[in-house]
Amino acid sequence: MPKYVYSFAEGNKDLKDLLGGKGANLGEMTGLGLPVPPGFTITTEACRHHMHHGQNPPELAEQVTAAIDALEATFGRKLGGDSEPLLVSVRSGAKFSMPGMMETVLNVGLNDRSVLGLAEFAGDERFAWDSYRRLIQMFGKTVLGIDGELFAEALDAKKRAVGAASDVELTADDLKDLVATFKAIVAGQTGQAFPQEPRAQVDAAVVAVFNSWNTDRAKVYRRRERISDELGTAVNVQSMVFGNLGPDSGTGVAFTRDPATGHPGAYGDYLPNAQGEDVVAGIRNTLSLDDMAKIDRTSYDQLRQIMSTLENHYRDLCDIEFTVERGKLWMLQTRVGKRTAAAAFKIAIQLVDQGLINLDSALERVTGDQLSNLMFPQFDPAAPKKLLTKAMAASPGAAVGQAVFDSPTAARWAADGRTVILVRRETNPDDLSGMIASAGILTARGGKTSHAAVVARGMGTTCVVGADALEVDPAARVFKVGDVTVAEGDVIAIDGSTGEVFLGNVPVVASPVFQYLDEGLEKALAGAGPDGSAAELVMAVHRILGHADAVRRLKVRANADNGEDADRARRMGAQGIGLCRTEHQFLGDRRKLIERLILAHDDATRAAALDALLPLQRQDFIELFTAMDGLHTTVRLIDPPLHEFLPDLTHLSVAVARKEALGEEVSGAERELLAAVERSHEANPMLGLRGVRLGLSVPGLFALQVRAIAEAAAQLIREGLDPKPEIMVPLIGSYVELDLVRDEAEQIVKQVAEAEGQELTIPIGCMIELPRAALTADEIARAAEFFSFGTNDLTQTTWGFSRDDVEGGFFSRYLELGVFQVSPFETIDVRGVGQLVERGVKLGRQTRPEIGLGVCGEHGGDPASIHFFNKAGLDYVSCSPFRVPVARLEAGRAAVVVAEGASGTA
């Protein structure tokens, strides 16, 4: 019989696929002998069965019964019993942490009878009725689908009626009244009474957790984090311990290091006389762990010892949930904690220096996306600013935008191209779409472990929380700080590193990490500031990126079209140019020359255009090859869709028709131009006369570029430099096309070499960007000394997409429907386009084992795609200059993963 239920004693941290992260780690802590309330985990396999069949596995009910029986035997109490009732929590727990995205129900087992038994057992009537009202509120919203605002409004109304400033001021009688009100809401909204049978509550809560895997917010989060929809969630049923039993009880969340800065120490939030959801929801501003030490030193000391045990055991920053019940500390959860980009690099190096991990492990614990985040600008410290307030820095960065007060507005304004800051009293999981759309998040309530803080850190979004000076009025769409009123649409700025909130725009300057990457270590350290934090970060990035360079197999080149971009690429660590788009060199004033060349109807006109273009192209290449002295520079021959260099047909037609209608004279030149453009007009230019087709159809065009490349190289060799140009032919579909271009190019290079008295060795290769080219790569490799996979066009032609049309069209719908987890133009489609790349690599090397292989599409700078290219056996990736450091890091990470797999440790 399939096993769907595991006690915590049967689990461990290596069973995350089966038990989810939370269940696996509860099992690990139980095995370490830490104080964990007993319980059991329902597996992800049970969830997947429920998703696929619409019901639980038939064996599940019996196994849950056996697990509950075991719990009851452990405690000597009955689930929801009339005397000394056993209560449980029912929580989600997927393999990958999805904070706040799925459901939790606490105090399951309470009913009209057991609440009396709980009051007697605890000796605290108020606590029992507070626990019961929490169950009805959470169960009603989570399991029964009732609008949570109905319960919140009833709670606020009760507080107003009795003059209570907070929940804890409500008396037992107040809470009894509130329970009656909540039960009436349930009956009114569902037509049924609140369920009184404890086991029915458990079963319904389990199904609700399963169903929460496929809520809109969970799907949005998984798409952003690239988590598979097929994984499902485990469910953890755990015996309740209570932090709301009085002043000697409480609940909190702790981090073994600061997740925002990486500083060692104890960081977290604590709320006395509260349950765990109160901390995460951010509905009350929390105390620090230092405050906890003053309130309950014994529990604090024990917590610090456990934190040290867990960090040393997991060898990483740990995020811990705990409860103190009448002076007794209980551990409810641990996981490797989410952290900011800066903290990720700092903590990795700290753990290396402590001897807990090696540099390979440090490299695995940071990502290219995090490095990219650290390259973003920060506020100029010398700029004038109007400070509104200072609160808790939850996720670093500098964000400037228009204030908005709800998630739908944030998403809508962002879609319109506006930059927004989401301002809320506190966020909840339903705010996810607006949080993703926003440049920054500002909340009036909550601490470093509130929903807003945790989700923002995970997304790399600037966030400030706990700004209690803010009076947020969502209905009026304003917030006030003292006598200052900020309305929706007004510009504000938030600093997620300091917690400062400013009115109006604040200018930004380069970050220390960007300065290091662009100007070098010495300058970055000199400008890092006196507190040492920036210098520590720069050194952490320097050490980890240096290790990535040492272990990676993939080389990293840059896409650059001019000397300035090439200079920057080299400073960023590029090992050459993988793509120079020569069509970019013909924009502006030169466009007319290309237009004349393409439309020329006689040799004299064509020759004049070529003569004018040659010195311009030669100078372009001199600048590029000088910047890349000693490094390979791949020059792609001109590859525009034809319409990019011709006048617009509609505009020309209208202009001529207008003159004719007004009786004005239409010149012969105008008519001739219109006729030429009409002859060249294409219904689908991206699949028309471009690339090699244009070069073979327009005499002298490719020859001009080859000559300019050869002459530039010869001149620089004469001047003592070491240019290494490579000529790349675009849009090859047949080896015959490449043979024709190669024959002409080799003759031109030979002529220039003889004329200049220089030896010129210029490899000639081609783009592989059509499916036919990938499928016949063995034939093409006979004429090509290198391949560069153009994955932008290869994706378009494999899927049959026109990128410019589909990304603004139905792609969002495809993402919603799950056709894509991510756009295939952002991360390579391994199953489709990836197979063509792998086939092209295999066939190319069969014919020419030494053939050079690279990629120069947008995917060359995408972290996930880089791992695929490393596995596929490419020699290099090429990306924009600003993505070069990211590619270097990810190439190193890919090499470490491959090495671990080869040694059997992955």
Side-chain angles (χ1 to χ4, degrees), residues 79 126 178 194 299 438 539 547 592 632 646 683 768 805 816 826-827 831 857 862:
L79 176 68
R126 185 201 176 281
L178 199 55
F194 179 78
S299 296
S438 300
M539 284 305 304
H547 185 65
K592 278 290 181 185
H632 293 283
L646 297 179
I768 302 292
D805 297 323
E816 289 173 11
E826 181 181 341
T827 294
R831 294 277 297 163
D862 171 65

Side-chain angles (χ1 to χ4, degrees), residues 771-794:
R772 191 182 192 282
L775 295 172
T776 61
D778 50 343
E779 295 179 345
I780 296 172
R782 291 201 294 265
E785 293 168 81
F786 65 88
F787 289 161
S788 182
F789 289 90
T791 51
N792 295 345
D793 274 338
L794 192 56

Side-chain angles (χ1 to χ4, degrees), residues 706-728:
V706 173
R707 182 171 296 279
I709 291 167
E711 290 180 355
Q715 178 178 326
L716 294 176
I717 292 172
R718 192 165 53 246
E719 294 174 3
L721 275 66
D722 182 23
K724 294 186 175 182
E726 301 172 343
I727 294 172
M728 183 160 67

Side-chain angles (χ1 to χ4, degrees), residues 493-650:
I494 61 173
D495 189 329
S497 301
T498 66
E500 293 171 306
V501 182
F502 304 104
L503 182 63
N505 194 10
V506 178
V508 295
V509 295
S511 72
V513 170
F514 182 83
Q515 188 178 19
Y516 153 64
L517 294 168
D518 193 44
E519 300 181 38
L521 183 62
E522 186 176 344
K523 283 191 176 181
L525 292 177
D531 68 353
S533 178
E536 181 188 5
L537 174 59
V538 167
M539 284 305 304
V541 172
H542 174 68
R543 289 174 64 184
I544 292 176
L545 196 54
H547 185 65
D549 288 336
V551 299
R552 63 184 166 91
R553 182 190 62 79
L554 274 176
K555 293 187 181 300
V556 178
R557 299 189 190 182
N559 302 339
D561 310 326
N562 54 60
E564 181 181 352
D565 286 349
D567 278 333
R568 167 152 276 160
R570 191 158 191 163
R571 294 198 302 273
M572 292 281 183
Q575 295 164 289
I577 298 296
L579 174 64
C580 166
R581 301 178 178 94
T582 55
E583 58 270 16
H584 290 178
Q585 298 168 347
F586 293 115
L587 299 176
D589 295 339
R590 303 185 191 181
R591 179 172 176 156
K592 278 290 181 185
L593 294 174
I594 285 288
E595 178 187 313
R596 276 185 231 156
L597 178 62
I598 292 171
L599 298 178
H601 53 75
D602 59 65
D603 292 343
T605 305
R606 185 177 300 112
L610 290 170
D611 289 344
L613 283 168
L614 179 60
L616 301 174
Q617 273 276 267
R618 184 170 54 236
Q619 185 58 37
D620 291 331
F621 296 133
I622 286 172
E623 292 176 8
L624 194 66
F625 299 161
T626 299
M628 283 289 125
D629 182 37
L631 299 178
H632 293 283
T633 305
T634 304
V635 179
R636 183 177 72 186
L637 302 181
I638 190 166
D639 179 33
L642 193 60
H643 70 281
E644 291 186 8
F645 287 108
L646 297 179
D648 181 71
L649 176 60
T650 302

Side-chain angles (χ1 to χ4, degrees), residues 77-95:
R77 292 149 55 188
K78 295 289 290 181
L79 176 68
D82 294 350
S83 175
E84 299 187 14
L86 172 67
L87 306 180
V88 296
S89 62
V90 180
R91 299 172 181 260
S92 62
K95 177 182 179 180

Side-chain angles (χ1 to χ4, degrees), residues 376-545:
F376 293 157
Q378 61 187 25
F379 288 138
D380 183 354
K385 311 176 189 71
K386 182 172 182 180
L387 182 67
L388 288 175
T389 187
K390 185 172 182 178
M392 194 173 297
S395 183
V400 180
Q402 294 176 281
V404 295
F405 292 90
D406 62 61
S407 283
T409 302
R412 189 172 63 253
W413 285 21
D416 290 339
R418 304 197 217 181
T419 303
V420 299
I421 306 254
L422 180 63
V423 183
R424 303 282 281 157
R425 288 181 184 139
E426 68 275 334
T427 64
N428 62 60
D430 293 329
D431 286 320
L432 182 64
S433 62
M435 297 172 78
I436 290 174
S438 300
I441 300 161
L442 172 63
T443 69
R445 301 173 182 166
K448 281 192 175 182
T449 58
S450 64
H451 175 265
V454 171
V455 173
R457 278 196 297 272
M459 296 191 304
T461 300
T462 301
C463 182
V464 173
V465 299
D468 49 16
L470 266 65
E471 297 177 31
V472 181
D473 187 343
R477 311 194 84 74
V478 301
F479 74 80
K480 296 181 180 179
V481 181
D483 59 357
V484 177
T485 299
V486 176
E488 189 160 73
D490 289 349
V491 174
I492 60 172
I494 61 173
D495 189 329
S497 301
T498 66
E500 293 171 306
V501 182
F502 304 104
L503 182 63
N505 194 10
V506 178
V508 295
V509 295
S511 72
V513 170
F514 182 83
Q515 188 178 19
Y516 153 64
L517 294 168
D518 193 44
E519 300 181 38
L521 183 62
E522 186 176 344
K523 283 191 176 181
L525 292 177
D531 68 353
S533 178
E536 181 188 5
L537 174 59
V538 167
M539 284 305 304
V541 172
H542 174 68
R543 289 174 64 184
I544 292 176
L545 196 54

Side-chain angles (χ1 to χ4, degrees), residues 224-388:
R224 180 182 176 86
E225 298 298 317
R226 303 186 185 183
I227 298 171
S228 170
D229 287 335
E230 292 302 311
L231 294 178
T233 181
V235 179
N236 298 286
V237 180
Q238 188 171 26
S239 51
M240 284 293 302
V241 290
F242 298 96
N244 56 336
L245 270 170
D248 60 349
S249 302
T251 191
V253 177
F255 295 91
T256 55
R257 296 169 192 255
D258 190 332
T261 67
H263 293 158
Y267 295 84
D269 299 319
Y270 182 70
L271 272 178
N273 198 18
Q275 286 197 311
E277 292 303 299
D278 298 336
V279 177
V280 177
I283 56 177
R284 288 165 58 187
N285 283 347
T286 56
L287 304 179
S288 68
L289 294 188
D290 288 340
D291 294 323
M292 178 191 176
K294 299 171 186 175
I295 296 169
D296 184 353
R297 186 75 200 192
T298 300
S299 296
Y300 172 81
D301 288 342
Q302 186 183 5
L303 175 65
R304 288 300 306 270
Q305 180 58 50
I306 290 173
M307 289 168 69
S308 177
T309 297
L310 288 173
E311 180 167 280
N312 288 328
H313 181 73
Y314 282 88
R315 301 185 180 192
D316 208 343
L317 160 70
C318 289
D319 169 355
I320 298 162
E321 293 182 19
F322 66 91
T323 284
V324 178
E325 182 184 78
R326 290 183 170 167
K328 165 71 173 174
L329 177 67
W330 292 97
M331 308 307 295
L332 305 184
Q333 175 178 327
T334 191
R335 59 191 172 196
V336 171
K338 291 187 178 294
R339 65 209 71 185
T340 65
F345 278 86
K346 289 182 181 180
I347 290 170
I349 287 300
Q350 290 165 7
L351 295 174
V352 169
D353 291 342
Q354 287 177 235
L356 290 175
I357 63 174
N358 59 24
L359 278 170
D360 280 355
S361 294
L363 182 55
E364 287 186 284
R365 294 186 183 190
V366 297
T367 69
D369 287 337
Q370 289 171 330
L371 179 58
S372 178
N373 182 275
L374 293 175
M375 295 167 67
F376 293 157
Q378 61 187 25
F379 288 138
D380 183 354
K385 311 176 189 71
K386 182 172 182 180
L387 182 67
L388 288 175

